[in-house]
Amino acid sequence: MDLDTGESRVEQEDNGAVANPGGTELLYWPDTCTGIGDYVLRALPNTRVGLLRADAPHTAEACKAAAGTGFAALPLYERRDTKERGFTVGAALCAVTADGAVAMALIDHMSGGATTDVSVSGNLYVWPQTSN
């Protein structure tokens, strides 16, 4: 997902790697090729993505700070793992994007898991890069 635009797209792979991520910050991709149970949500290398917990202020400043904390690969189908890491309804994925903007993708709804595809949805807020 490109957090500057909110664009989600399907990419071609080349031996398990995305050929051209083109400004994408987040990727939902399998660790292996064994089925639904091995897809994980991850930040692409050289991106600034982090998780803003549900009880934190949802401001541009808090989101920018959270983006600097990093986001390790997360198997969304493992509800216990997602809850322990704070990936819950009310939390947000935050990034400082390739364009220098601060993006906050709120987690408003989650469904599925274990043996079914996981669906996560919510609003995306983008604060453009400022000169200071």
Side-chain angles (χ1 to χ4, degrees), residues 10-21 27-30 32-33 39:
V10 176
E11 293 287 342
Q12 294 295 320
E13 60 92 18
D14 181 17
N15 283 331
V18 176
N20 179 14
L27 188 64
Y28 189 57
W29 199 258
T32 63
C33 295
Y39 273 75

Side-chain angles (χ1 to χ4, degrees), residues 2 9 54 82 98:
D2 184 335
R9 59 187 183 264
T82 57

Side-chain angles (χ1 to χ4, degrees), residues 52 59 123 126:
L52 185 64
T59 64
N123 291 315
V126 180

